[in-house]
Coordinates of all heavy atoms in Angstrom, one line a residue:
M1 N -29.7 5.3 -6.6 CA -28.4 4.7 -7.1 C -28.7 3.8 -8.3 O -27.8 3.8 -9.2 CB -27.9 3.7 -6.0 CG -26.6 3.1 -6.3 SD -26.0 2.0 -5.0 CE -27.1 0.6 -5.2
E2 N -29.9 3.2 -8.4 CA -30.1 2.4 -9.7 C -30.2 3.3 -10.9 O -29.8 2.9 -12.0 CB -31.5 1.6 -9.5 CG -31.4 0.5 -8.5 CD -30.3 -0.5 -8.7 OE1 -29.9 -0.8 -9.8 OE2 -29.7 -1.0 -7.7
G3 N -30.5 4.6 -10.7 CA -30.5 5.5 -11.9 C -29.1 5.8 -12.4 O -28.9 6.2 -13.5
C4 N -28.1 5.6 -11.5 CA -26.7 5.8 -11.9 C -26.2 4.9 -13.0 O -25.3 5.2 -13.7 CB -25.8 5.6 -10.7 SG -25.9 6.8 -9.4
A5 N -26.8 3.7 -13.0 CA -26.3 2.6 -13.9 C -26.2 3.1 -15.3 O -25.3 2.7 -16.0 CB -27.2 1.4 -13.8
A6 N -27.1 4.0 -15.8 CA -27.1 4.5 -17.1 C -26.4 5.8 -17.2 O -26.3 6.4 -18.3 CB -28.5 4.6 -17.7
C7 N -25.9 6.3 -16.1 CA -25.3 7.7 -16.2 C -24.0 7.7 -17.0 O -23.1 6.8 -16.8 CB -25.0 8.1 -14.7 SG -24.1 9.7 -14.6
P8 N -23.8 8.6 -17.9 CA -22.5 8.6 -18.7 C -21.3 9.2 -17.9 O -20.2 9.2 -18.4 CB -22.9 9.5 -19.9 CG -24.0 10.4 -19.4 CD -24.7 9.7 -18.3
F9 N -21.5 9.7 -16.7 CA -20.4 10.4 -16.0 C -19.9 9.6 -14.8 O -19.3 10.2 -13.9 CB -21.0 11.7 -15.5 CG -21.5 12.6 -16.6 CD1 -22.9 12.9 -16.6 CD2 -20.7 13.1 -17.6 CE1 -23.4 13.7 -17.6 CE2 -21.2 13.9 -18.6 CZ -22.6 14.2 -18.6
I10 N -20.1 8.3 -14.8 CA -19.7 7.5 -13.6 C -18.2 7.7 -13.3 O -17.9 8.0 -12.1 CB -20.0 6.0 -13.9 CG1 -21.5 5.8 -13.9 CG2 -19.3 5.1 -12.8 CD1 -21.9 4.3 -14.1
V11 N -17.3 7.6 -14.2 CA -15.9 7.8 -13.9 C -15.6 9.2 -13.4 O -14.8 9.4 -12.5 CB -15.0 7.4 -15.1 CG1 -13.5 7.6 -14.8 CG2 -15.2 5.9 -15.4
R12 N -16.2 10.2 -14.1 CA -16.0 11.6 -13.6 C -16.5 11.8 -12.2 O -15.9 12.6 -11.4 CB -16.6 12.6 -14.7 CG -15.7 12.8 -15.8 CD -16.3 13.5 -17.0 NE -16.6 14.9 -16.6 CZ -17.2 15.7 -17.4 NH1 -17.6 15.3 -18.6 NH2 -17.4 17.0 -17.1
C13 N -17.7 11.2 -12.0 CA -18.3 11.3 -10.7 C -17.3 10.7 -9.6 O -17.1 11.3 -8.6 CB -19.6 10.6 -10.7 SG -20.5 10.5 -9.2
Y14 N -16.8 9.6 -9.9 CA -15.8 8.9 -9.0 C -14.6 9.7 -8.8 O -14.1 9.9 -7.7 CB -15.5 7.6 -9.7 CG -14.5 6.7 -8.9 CD1 -14.7 6.4 -7.5 CD2 -13.5 6.1 -9.6 CE1 -13.8 5.6 -6.9 CE2 -12.6 5.2 -8.9 CZ -12.8 5.0 -7.5 OH -11.9 4.2 -6.8
D15 N -14.1 10.3 -9.9 CA -12.8 11.1 -9.8 C -13.1 12.4 -9.0 O -12.3 12.9 -8.2 CB -12.4 11.5 -11.2 CG -11.0 12.2 -11.2 OD1 -10.2 11.9 -10.2 OD2 -10.7 12.9 -12.1
R16 N -14.3 13.0 -9.1 CA -14.6 14.2 -8.4 C -14.8 14.0 -6.9 O -14.3 14.7 -6.1 CB -16.0 14.7 -9.0 CG -16.4 16.1 -8.5 CD -15.4 17.1 -8.9 NE -15.7 18.4 -8.4 CZ -16.2 19.4 -9.1 NH1 -16.3 19.3 -10.4 NH2 -16.5 20.6 -8.6
V17 N -15.4 12.8 -6.6 CA -15.7 12.6 -5.2 C -14.6 11.9 -4.4 O -14.3 12.2 -3.3 CB -17.0 11.8 -5.0 CG1 -17.3 11.4 -3.6 CG2 -18.2 12.5 -5.6
R18 N -13.9 11.0 -5.1 CA -12.8 10.2 -4.6 C -13.2 9.7 -3.2 O -12.7 10.0 -2.2 CB -11.5 11.0 -4.5 CG -11.0 11.4 -5.9 CD -9.5 11.7 -5.9 NE -9.1 11.9 -7.3 CZ -8.1 11.3 -7.8 NH1 -7.4 10.5 -7.2 NH2 -7.8 11.5 -9.1
P19 N -14.2 8.8 -3.2 CA -14.9 8.3 -2.0 C -13.9 7.8 -0.9 O -14.1 8.1 0.3 CB -15.9 7.3 -2.4 CG -16.0 7.5 -3.9 CD -14.8 8.1 -4.4
A20 N -13.0 6.9 -1.4 CA -12.1 6.3 -0.4 C -11.3 7.3 0.4 O -11.2 7.3 1.6 CB -11.2 5.2 -1.0
A21 N -10.6 8.2 -0.3 CA -9.8 9.2 0.3 C -10.5 10.1 1.2 O -10.0 10.7 2.2 CB -9.0 10.0 -0.8
N22 N -11.8 10.4 0.9 CA -12.6 11.3 1.6 C -13.6 10.7 2.6 O -14.4 11.4 3.2 CB -13.4 12.2 0.6 CG -12.4 13.0 -0.2 OD1 -11.5 13.7 0.3 ND2 -12.6 13.0 -1.5
H23 N -13.4 9.4 2.8 CA -14.3 8.7 3.7 C -15.8 9.0 3.5 O -16.6 9.4 4.4 CB -14.0 8.9 5.2 CG -12.5 8.7 5.5 ND1 -12.0 7.4 5.6 CD2 -11.5 9.5 5.6 CE1 -10.7 7.5 5.9 NE2 -10.3 8.7 5.8
F24 N -16.1 9.0 2.2 CA -17.4 9.5 1.7 C -18.6 8.5 2.2 O -18.5 7.3 2.1 CB -17.4 9.5 0.2 CG -18.6 10.0 -0.5 CD1 -19.1 11.3 -0.4 CD2 -19.4 9.1 -1.2 CE1 -20.3 11.7 -1.0 CE2 -20.5 9.5 -1.9 CZ -21.0 10.8 -1.8
D25 N -19.7 9.2 2.6 CA -21.0 8.5 2.8 C -22.0 9.0 1.8 O -22.2 10.2 1.8 CB -21.5 8.8 4.2 CG -20.7 8.2 5.3 OD1 -20.2 7.1 5.2 OD2 -20.5 8.9 6.4
G26 N -22.5 8.1 1.0 CA -23.6 8.5 0.0 C -23.5 7.8 -1.3 O -22.8 6.7 -1.3
V27 N -24.1 8.3 -2.3 CA -24.2 7.7 -3.6 C -23.2 8.4 -4.5 O -23.2 9.6 -4.6 CB -25.6 7.7 -4.2 CG1 -25.6 7.1 -5.6 CG2 -26.5 6.8 -3.3
C28 N -22.3 7.6 -5.2 CA -21.4 8.1 -6.1 C -21.0 7.0 -7.1 O -20.8 5.9 -6.6 CB -20.1 8.7 -5.4 SG -18.7 8.8 -6.4
A29 N -20.9 7.3 -8.4 CA -20.4 6.4 -9.4 C -21.2 5.0 -9.3 O -20.6 4.0 -9.4 CB -18.9 6.1 -9.2
A30 N -22.5 5.1 -9.2 CA -23.4 4.0 -9.2 C -23.1 3.0 -8.1 O -23.3 1.8 -8.2 CB -23.2 3.2 -10.6
R31 N -22.6 3.5 -7.0 CA -22.4 2.7 -5.8 C -22.8 3.5 -4.5 O -22.7 4.7 -4.5 CB -20.9 2.4 -5.6 CG -20.4 1.3 -6.6 CD -19.0 1.5 -7.1 NE -18.6 0.5 -8.0 CZ -18.7 0.6 -9.3 NH1 -19.3 1.6 -9.9 NH2 -18.3 -0.4 -10.1
L32 N -23.2 2.7 -3.5 CA -23.5 3.4 -2.2 C -22.2 3.2 -1.4 O -21.7 2.1 -1.2 CB -24.7 2.7 -1.6 CG -25.0 3.1 -0.2 CD1 -25.5 4.6 -0.1 CD2 -26.1 2.2 0.4
W33 N -21.7 4.3 -0.9 CA -20.5 4.3 -0.1 C -20.8 4.6 1.4 O -21.6 5.5 1.7 CB -19.5 5.4 -0.6 CG -19.1 5.2 -2.0 CD1 -19.9 5.6 -3.1 CD2 -18.0 4.6 -2.6 NE1 -19.3 5.3 -4.3 CE2 -18.1 4.6 -4.0 CE3 -16.9 4.0 -2.0 CZ2 -17.1 4.1 -4.8 CZ3 -15.9 3.5 -2.8 CH2 -16.0 3.6 -4.2
V34 N -20.1 3.9 2.2 CA -20.2 4.1 3.7 C -18.8 4.2 4.2 O -18.0 3.3 4.1 CB -21.0 3.0 4.4 CG1 -21.0 3.3 5.9 CG2 -22.4 2.9 3.9
N35 N -18.5 5.4 4.7 CA -17.1 5.7 5.2 C -16.0 5.3 4.2 O -15.0 4.7 4.5 CB -16.9 4.9 6.5 CG -15.7 5.5 7.3 OD1 -15.3 6.6 7.1 ND2 -15.1 4.7 8.1
G36 N -16.3 5.6 2.9 CA -15.3 5.4 1.8 C -15.2 4.0 1.3 O -14.3 3.7 0.5
K37 N -16.1 3.1 1.8 CA -16.1 1.7 1.3 C -17.4 1.4 0.6 O -18.4 1.9 1.0 CB -15.9 0.8 2.4 CG -14.5 0.9 3.1 CD -14.1 -0.4 3.7 CE -12.6 -0.4 4.0 NZ -12.1 0.6 5.0
V38 N -17.3 0.6 -0.5 CA -18.6 0.3 -1.2 C -19.5 -0.6 -0.4 O -19.0 -1.6 0.1 CB -18.2 -0.4 -2.6 CG1 -19.5 -0.8 -3.3 CG2 -17.4 0.5 -3.5
A39 N -20.7 -0.2 -0.2 CA -21.7 -1.0 0.6 C -22.6 -1.7 -0.4 O -23.1 -2.8 -0.1 CB -22.5 -0.1 1.5
A40 N -22.9 -1.1 -1.6 CA -23.7 -1.7 -2.6 C -23.4 -1.1 -3.9 O -23.0 0.0 -4.0 CB -25.2 -1.5 -2.2
S41 N -23.7 -1.9 -5.0 CA -23.4 -1.3 -6.3 C -24.7 -1.5 -7.2 O -25.5 -2.5 -6.9 CB -22.3 -2.1 -7.1 OG -21.3 -2.4 -6.2
A42 N -24.9 -0.6 -8.1 CA -26.0 -0.8 -9.1 C -25.8 -2.0 -9.9 O -24.6 -2.4 -10.1 CB -26.2 0.5 -9.9
E43 N -26.8 -2.7 -10.3 CA -26.6 -3.9 -11.1 C -25.9 -3.7 -12.4 O -26.2 -2.7 -13.1 CB -28.0 -4.5 -11.4 CG -28.2 -5.9 -10.8 CD -29.6 -6.4 -10.9 OE1 -30.0 -6.8 -11.9 OE2 -30.3 -6.3 -9.8
G44 N -25.0 -4.5 -12.7 CA -24.4 -4.5 -14.1 C -23.4 -3.4 -14.4 O -23.1 -3.1 -15.5
V45 N -22.9 -2.7 -13.3 CA -22.0 -1.6 -13.6 C -20.6 -2.1 -13.8 O -20.2 -3.1 -13.2 CB -22.0 -0.5 -12.5 CG1 -23.3 0.3 -12.6 CG2 -21.8 -1.1 -11.1
E46 N -19.8 -1.4 -14.6 CA -18.4 -1.8 -14.8 C -17.6 -1.5 -13.6 O -17.9 -0.7 -12.8 CB -17.8 -0.8 -15.9 CG -18.6 -0.8 -17.2 CD -18.0 -1.7 -18.2 OE1 -16.8 -1.5 -18.5 OE2 -18.7 -2.6 -18.8
P47 N -16.5 -2.3 -13.4 CA -15.6 -2.0 -12.3 C -15.0 -0.6 -12.4 O -14.8 -0.1 -13.5 CB -14.5 -3.1 -12.4 CG -14.8 -3.9 -13.6 CD -16.0 -3.4 -14.2
L48 N -14.7 0.0 -11.3 CA -14.1 1.4 -11.4 C -12.7 1.3 -11.7 O -11.9 0.4 -11.3 CB -14.3 2.1 -10.0 CG -15.7 2.4 -9.6 CD1 -15.8 2.8 -8.2 CD2 -16.3 3.5 -10.5
P49 N -12.2 2.3 -12.5 CA -10.8 2.3 -12.9 C -9.9 2.8 -11.8 O -10.4 3.4 -10.8 CB -10.8 3.3 -14.1 CG -11.9 4.3 -13.8 CD -13.0 3.5 -13.1
K50 N -8.6 2.6 -11.9 CA -7.7 3.2 -10.9 C -7.5 4.6 -11.3 O -7.2 5.0 -12.4 CB -6.4 2.4 -11.0 CG -5.4 2.7 -9.9 CD -4.2 1.8 -10.0 CE -3.3 1.9 -8.8 NZ -2.6 3.2 -8.7
L51 N -7.7 5.5 -10.3 CA -7.6 6.9 -10.6 C -6.2 7.4 -10.6 O -5.4 6.9 -9.8 CB -8.4 7.7 -9.6 CG -9.9 7.5 -9.7 CD1 -10.6 8.2 -8.5 CD2 -10.5 8.0 -11.0
P52 N -5.8 8.4 -11.4 CA -4.4 8.9 -11.3 C -4.3 9.6 -9.9 O -5.3 10.2 -9.4 CB -4.3 9.9 -12.4 CG -5.7 10.2 -12.8 CD -6.6 9.0 -12.4
T53 N -3.1 9.5 -9.3 CA -3.0 10.0 -8.0 C -3.0 11.5 -8.0 O -2.6 12.2 -9.0 CB -1.7 9.5 -7.3 OG1 -1.6 10.0 -6.0 CG2 -0.4 9.9 -8.1
Q54 N -3.3 12.1 -6.9 CA -3.2 13.6 -6.7 C -2.1 13.9 -5.7 O -2.1 15.0 -5.1 CB -4.6 14.1 -6.2 CG -5.7 14.0 -7.2 CD -7.0 14.5 -6.7 OE1 -7.4 14.3 -5.6 NE2 -7.7 15.2 -7.6
A55 N -1.2 13.0 -5.6 CA -0.1 13.1 -4.6 C 0.9 14.2 -5.0 O 1.6 14.7 -4.1 CB 0.6 11.8 -4.4
G56 N 1.0 14.5 -6.2 CA 2.0 15.5 -6.6 C 3.0 14.8 -7.5 O 2.7 13.9 -8.2
T57 N 4.3 15.2 -7.3 CA 5.4 14.7 -8.2 C 5.9 13.4 -7.5 O 6.5 13.5 -6.5 CB 6.5 15.7 -8.3 OG1 5.9 17.0 -8.7 CG2 7.5 15.3 -9.4
C58 N 5.7 12.3 -8.2 CA 6.2 11.0 -7.6 C 7.7 11.0 -7.7 O 8.3 11.6 -8.6 CB 5.6 9.9 -8.4 SG 3.9 9.7 -7.9
G59 N 8.3 10.3 -6.7 CA 9.8 10.2 -6.6 C 10.4 11.4 -5.9 O 11.6 11.5 -5.8
T60 N 9.6 12.3 -5.3 CA 10.1 13.3 -4.5 C 9.5 13.2 -3.1 O 8.5 12.5 -2.9 CB 9.7 14.7 -5.1 OG1 8.3 14.9 -5.0 CG2 10.2 14.9 -6.5
S61 N 10.1 14.0 -2.1 CA 9.6 13.9 -0.8 C 8.1 14.4 -0.7 O 7.3 13.9 0.1 CB 10.5 14.6 0.2 OG 10.6 16.0 -0.2
S62 N 7.8 15.4 -1.6 CA 6.4 15.9 -1.6 C 5.5 14.9 -2.1 O 4.3 14.8 -1.7 CB 6.3 17.2 -2.3 OG 6.5 17.0 -3.7
G63 N 5.9 14.0 -3.1 CA 5.1 12.9 -3.6 C 4.8 11.9 -2.5 O 3.7 11.5 -2.3
V64 N 5.8 11.6 -1.7 CA 5.7 10.7 -0.6 C 4.7 11.2 0.4 O 3.7 10.5 0.8 CB 7.0 10.4 0.1 CG1 6.8 9.5 1.4 CG2 8.0 9.7 -0.8
K65 N 4.8 12.5 0.8 CA 3.9 13.1 1.7 C 2.5 13.1 1.1 O 1.5 12.9 1.8 CB 4.3 14.6 2.0 CG 5.4 14.6 3.1 CD 5.7 16.1 3.4 CE 7.1 16.2 3.9 NZ 7.7 17.5 3.4
G66 N 2.4 13.4 -0.2 CA 1.1 13.4 -0.9 C 0.3 12.1 -0.8 O -0.8 12.1 -0.4
H67 N 1.1 11.0 -1.0 CA 0.4 9.7 -0.9 C 0.0 9.5 0.5 O -1.1 8.9 0.7 CB 1.4 8.6 -1.3 CG 1.8 8.5 -2.7 ND1 0.8 8.2 -3.7 CD2 2.9 8.5 -3.4 CE1 1.4 8.1 -4.9 NE2 2.7 8.3 -4.7
R68 N 0.8 9.8 1.5 CA 0.4 9.6 2.9 C -0.8 10.4 3.3 O -1.6 10.0 4.0 CB 1.6 9.8 3.8 CG 2.7 8.7 3.6 CD 3.9 8.9 4.4 NE 4.8 7.7 4.2 CZ 6.0 7.7 4.4 NH1 6.7 8.8 4.8 NH2 6.8 6.6 4.2
R69 N -0.8 11.7 2.8 CA -1.9 12.6 3.1 C -3.2 12.0 2.6 O -4.3 12.0 3.2 CB -1.6 14.0 2.5 CG -2.7 15.0 2.6 CD -2.2 16.4 2.2 NE -1.3 16.4 1.1 CZ -1.7 16.3 -0.2 NH1 -2.9 16.3 -0.5 NH2 -0.8 16.4 -1.1
L70 N -3.1 11.4 1.4 CA -4.3 10.8 0.7 C -4.7 9.4 1.2 O -5.7 8.9 0.9 CB -4.1 10.8 -0.8 CG -4.0 12.2 -1.5 CD1 -3.5 12.0 -2.9 CD2 -5.3 12.9 -1.5
G71 N -3.8 8.9 2.1 CA -4.0 7.6 2.6 C -3.9 6.5 1.6 O -4.6 5.4 1.7
E72 N -3.1 6.7 0.5 CA -3.0 5.6 -0.5 C -1.6 5.0 -0.4 O -0.6 5.6 0.2 CB -3.2 6.2 -1.9 CG -2.3 7.4 -2.2 CD -2.7 8.1 -3.5 OE1 -3.9 8.1 -3.9 OE2 -1.8 8.6 -4.2
P73 N -1.4 3.8 -0.9 CA -0.1 3.1 -0.8 C 0.9 3.9 -1.7 O 0.5 4.5 -2.7 CB -0.3 1.7 -1.3 CG -1.6 1.8 -2.0 CD -2.4 2.9 -1.5
L74 N 2.2 3.9 -1.3 CA 3.2 4.6 -2.1 C 3.4 3.9 -3.4 O 3.3 2.6 -3.5 CB 4.6 4.5 -1.4 CG 4.6 5.2 0.0 CD1 6.0 5.1 0.6 CD2 4.2 6.7 -0.1
C75 N 3.6 4.6 -4.5 CA 3.9 4.0 -5.8 C 5.4 3.6 -5.8 O 6.1 3.9 -4.8 CB 3.7 5.1 -6.9 SG 4.9 6.4 -6.9
G76 N 5.8 2.9 -6.8 CA 7.2 2.4 -6.8 C 8.3 3.4 -6.6 O 9.1 3.3 -5.8
E77 N 8.1 4.5 -7.4 CA 9.1 5.6 -7.3 C 9.2 6.2 -5.9 O 10.2 6.5 -5.3 CB 8.8 6.7 -8.3 CG 9.2 6.5 -9.7 CD 8.8 7.7 -10.5 OE1 7.6 7.7 -11.0 OE2 9.5 8.7 -10.6
C78 N 8.0 6.4 -5.3 CA 7.9 7.1 -4.0 C 8.4 6.1 -2.9 O 8.9 6.6 -1.9 CB 6.5 7.5 -3.7 SG 6.1 9.0 -4.7
R79 N 8.2 4.8 -3.1 CA 8.7 3.8 -2.1 C 10.2 3.9 -2.0 O 10.8 3.9 -1.0 CB 8.2 2.4 -2.5 CG 8.2 1.5 -1.3 CD 7.6 0.1 -1.7 NE 6.3 0.2 -2.4 CZ 6.1 -0.3 -3.6 NH1 7.0 -1.1 -4.2 NH2 4.9 -0.2 -4.2
V80 N 10.9 4.0 -3.2 CA 12.3 4.1 -3.2 C 12.8 5.4 -2.5 O 13.7 5.4 -1.7 CB 12.8 4.1 -4.7 CG1 14.3 4.4 -4.7 CG2 12.6 2.7 -5.3
T81 N 12.1 6.5 -2.8 CA 12.4 7.8 -2.2 C 12.3 7.7 -0.7 O 13.1 8.2 0.1 CB 11.5 8.9 -2.7 OG1 11.6 8.9 -4.2 CG2 11.9 10.2 -2.2
A82 N 11.2 7.1 -0.2 CA 10.9 6.9 1.2 C 12.0 6.1 1.9 O 12.5 6.4 3.0 CB 9.5 6.4 1.5
Q83 N 12.4 5.0 1.2 CA 13.4 4.1 1.8 C 14.7 4.8 1.9 O 15.4 4.7 3.0 CB 13.6 2.9 0.9 CG 12.6 1.8 1.2 CD 12.6 0.7 0.1 OE1 13.3 0.8 -0.9 NE2 11.8 -0.3 0.3
R84 N 15.1 5.6 0.9 CA 16.4 6.4 1.0 C 16.3 7.4 2.1 O 17.3 7.6 2.8 CB 16.6 7.1 -0.4 CG 17.0 6.1 -1.4 CD 17.6 6.8 -2.6 NE 18.0 5.9 -3.6 CZ 17.7 6.0 -4.9 NH1 17.1 7.1 -5.4 NH2 18.1 5.0 -5.8
A85 N 15.2 8.0 2.3 CA 15.1 9.0 3.3 C 15.2 8.4 4.7 O 15.8 8.9 5.6 CB 13.7 9.7 3.2
D86 N 14.6 7.1 4.8 CA 14.7 6.4 6.1 C 16.2 6.1 6.4 O 16.6 6.2 7.6 CB 13.9 5.1 6.1 CG 12.4 5.4 6.1 OD1 12.0 6.5 6.5 OD2 11.6 4.5 5.8
V87 N 16.9 5.6 5.4 CA 18.3 5.3 5.6 C 19.1 6.5 6.0 O 19.9 6.5 6.9 CB 18.9 4.6 4.3 CG1 20.4 4.5 4.4 CG2 18.3 3.2 4.1
R88 N 18.9 7.6 5.3 CA 19.6 8.9 5.7 C 19.3 9.3 7.1 O 20.1 9.7 7.9 CB 19.1 10.0 4.7 CG 20.0 10.2 3.5 CD 19.9 11.6 2.9 NE 18.5 11.9 2.6 CZ 17.8 11.4 1.5 NH1 18.4 10.7 0.6 NH2 16.6 11.8 1.3
R89 N 18.0 9.2 7.5 CA 17.6 9.6 8.8 C 18.2 8.7 9.9 O 18.6 9.2 10.9 CB 16.0 9.5 9.0 CG 15.5 10.5 9.9 CD 14.0 10.5 9.9 NE 13.4 10.8 8.5 CZ 12.6 10.0 7.9 NH1 12.2 8.9 8.4 NH2 12.2 10.4 6.7
A90 N 18.4 7.4 9.6 CA 19.0 6.5 10.6 C 20.5 6.8 10.8 O 21.0 6.4 11.8 CB 18.8 5.0 10.1
G91 N 21.1 7.4 9.8 CA 22.5 7.8 9.9 C 23.5 6.7 9.5 O 23.1 5.6 9.2
A92 N 24.7 7.1 9.6 CA 25.8 6.2 9.2 C 25.9 4.9 10.0 O 26.3 3.9 9.5 CB 27.1 6.9 9.3
A93 N 25.4 5.0 11.2 CA 25.5 3.8 12.1 C 24.7 2.6 11.6 O 24.9 1.5 11.9 CB 25.0 4.1 13.5
S94 N 23.7 2.9 10.7 CA 22.8 1.8 10.2 C 23.4 1.1 9.0 O 22.9 0.1 8.6 CB 21.5 2.4 9.8 OG 21.6 3.2 8.6
I95 N 24.6 1.6 8.5 CA 25.2 1.0 7.4 C 26.2 0.0 7.9 O 27.2 0.4 8.6 CB 25.9 2.0 6.5 CG1 24.8 3.0 5.9 CG2 26.6 1.3 5.3 CD1 25.4 4.2 5.3
R96 N 26.0 -1.3 7.6 CA 26.9 -2.3 8.1 C 28.3 -2.3 7.4 O 28.3 -2.2 6.2 CB 26.3 -3.7 7.9 CG 25.4 -4.1 9.1 CD 24.8 -5.4 9.0 NE 25.7 -6.4 8.6 CZ 25.3 -7.6 8.1 NH1 24.1 -7.8 7.9 NH2 26.2 -8.6 7.9
K97 N 29.3 -2.3 8.2 CA 30.6 -2.2 7.6 C 31.3 -3.6 7.7 O 31.1 -4.3 8.6 CB 31.5 -1.2 8.3 CG 31.0 0.3 8.1 CD 32.0 1.3 8.6 CE 31.4 2.7 8.5 NZ 31.3 3.4 9.7
R98 N 32.1 -3.9 6.7 CA 32.9 -5.1 6.7 C 34.0 -4.9 7.8 O 34.6 -3.9 7.8 CB 33.5 -5.3 5.4 CG 33.5 -6.8 4.9 CD 34.0 -6.9 3.6 NE 32.9 -6.9 2.6 CZ 33.1 -6.8 1.3 NH1 34.4 -6.7 0.8 NH2 32.1 -6.9 0.4
A99 N 34.3 -6.0 8.5 CA 35.4 -5.9 9.5 C 36.7 -5.6 8.7 O 36.8 -6.2 7.6 CB 35.5 -7.2 10.3
S100 N 37.6 -4.8 9.3 CA 38.8 -4.5 8.5 C 39.6 -5.8 8.3 O 39.6 -6.7 9.2 CB 39.6 -3.4 9.1 OG 40.3 -3.9 10.2
R101 N 40.4 -5.8 7.2 CA 41.2 -7.1 6.9 C 42.2 -7.4 8.0 O 42.4 -8.5 8.4 CB 41.8 -6.8 5.5 CG 42.3 -8.1 4.9 CD 42.7 -7.9 3.5 NE 43.8 -8.8 3.1 CZ 43.6 -10.1 2.9 NH1 42.4 -10.6 3.0 NH2 44.6 -10.9 2.5
G102 N 42.8 -6.3 8.5 CA 43.8 -6.5 9.6 C 43.2 -7.2 10.8 O 43.8 -8.2 11.3
K103 N 42.1 -6.7 11.2 CA 41.4 -7.4 12.4 C 41.1 -8.8 12.1 O 41.3 -9.7 13.0 CB 40.2 -6.6 12.7 CG 40.4 -5.5 13.7 CD 39.0 -4.9 14.2 CE 39.1 -3.5 14.6 NZ 37.8 -2.8 14.6
A104 N 40.6 -9.1 10.9 CA 40.2 -10.4 10.6 C 41.3 -11.4 10.6 O 41.2 -12.5 11.1 CB 39.5 -10.4 9.2
L105 N 42.5 -10.9 10.1 CA 43.7 -11.7 10.1 C 44.2 -12.0 11.5 O 44.6 -13.1 11.9 CB 44.8 -11.1 9.2 CG 44.6 -11.1 7.7 CD1 45.7 -10.3 7.0 CD2 44.6 -12.5 7.2
A106 N 44.1 -10.9 12.3 CA 44.6 -11.0 13.7 C 43.8 -12.0 14.5 O 44.3 -12.8 15.2 CB 44.6 -9.6 14.4
S107 N 42.5 -12.0 14.3 CA 41.6 -12.9 15.0 C 41.8 -14.4 14.5 O 41.6 -15.3 15.3 CB 40.2 -12.5 15.0 OG 39.7 -12.5 13.6
A108 N 42.2 -14.5 13.3 CA 42.3 -15.9 12.7 C 43.6 -16.5 13.2 O 43.7 -17.7 13.4 CB 42.4 -15.8 11.2
A109 N 44.6 -15.6 13.6 CA 45.9 -16.2 14.0 C 45.9 -16.7 15.4 O 45.0 -16.4 16.2 CB 47.0 -15.1 13.9
Ligands
SF4_201 S1 -24.2 10.0 -8.5 FE1 -22.6 10.1 -10.1 S2 -22.9 8.2 -11.2 FE2 -24.8 8.6 -10.1 S3 -26.1 9.7 -11.5 FE3 -25.0 11.2 -10.2 S4 -23.2 11.8 -11.5 FE4 -24.0 9.9 -12.3
ZN202 ZN1 4.3 8.3 -6.0

């Protein structure tokens, strides 16, 4: 792992292995990983960048499924898509309606 510190391919190595999503055990990107979590890092290495998602098209149901398959949090667009799908699934009963004006007047009288 200490030999990794000078490796020019750290980010590519990280992108190729995607340790967290794959529950990786071993050495990748100048770090020792156990079950997808960093257990040790080589001295003086840069923090790892955020990798672009492989979830697919964000803002669509396949993007939502992609994030869930990869075990990553939903991005902003996919969160909105997932919320809309939940509301649709819950049906019209979940939408609160205002009491009709006639009923409100009758109860006030
Ligand atoms: S494990 Fe990755 S970072 Fe380490 S030397 Fe090999 S390619 Fe480079
Ligand atoms: Zn997304």
Side-chain angles (χ1 to χ4, degrees):
M1 184 181 76
E2 292 305 326
C4 289
C7 174
F9 304 115
I10 289 180
V11 175
R12 278 171 67 182
C13 177
Y14 180 48
D15 189 24
R16 186 64 182 250
V17 177
R18 295 200 174 234
N22 297 311
H23 307 285
F24 178 70
D25 291 322
V27 173
C28 160
R31 284 145 180 93
L32 174 66
W33 300 82
V34 177
N35 196 24
K37 294 206 164 62
V38 176
S41 319
E43 240 170 76
V45 286
E46 303 260 309
L48 291 170
K50 192 172 184 295
L51 294 174
T53 182
Q54 292 181 319
T57 312
C58 284
T60 66
S61 57
S62 71
V64 174
K65 278 187 209 140
H67 287 300
R68 287 181 177 155
R69 176 170 36 82
L70 296 168
E72 55 188 30
L74 298 180
C75 70
E77 277 178 273
C78 288
R79 203 173 313 125
V80 171
T81 305
Q83 278 168 351
R84 286 195 181 136
D86 285 346
V87 168
R88 265 199 308 278
R89 210 170 304 120
S94 71
I95 300 168
R96 272 178 52 196
K97 291 189 185 121
R98 219 178 264 169
S100 77
R101 195 169 152 72
K103 267 190 209 161
L105 286 175
S107 63

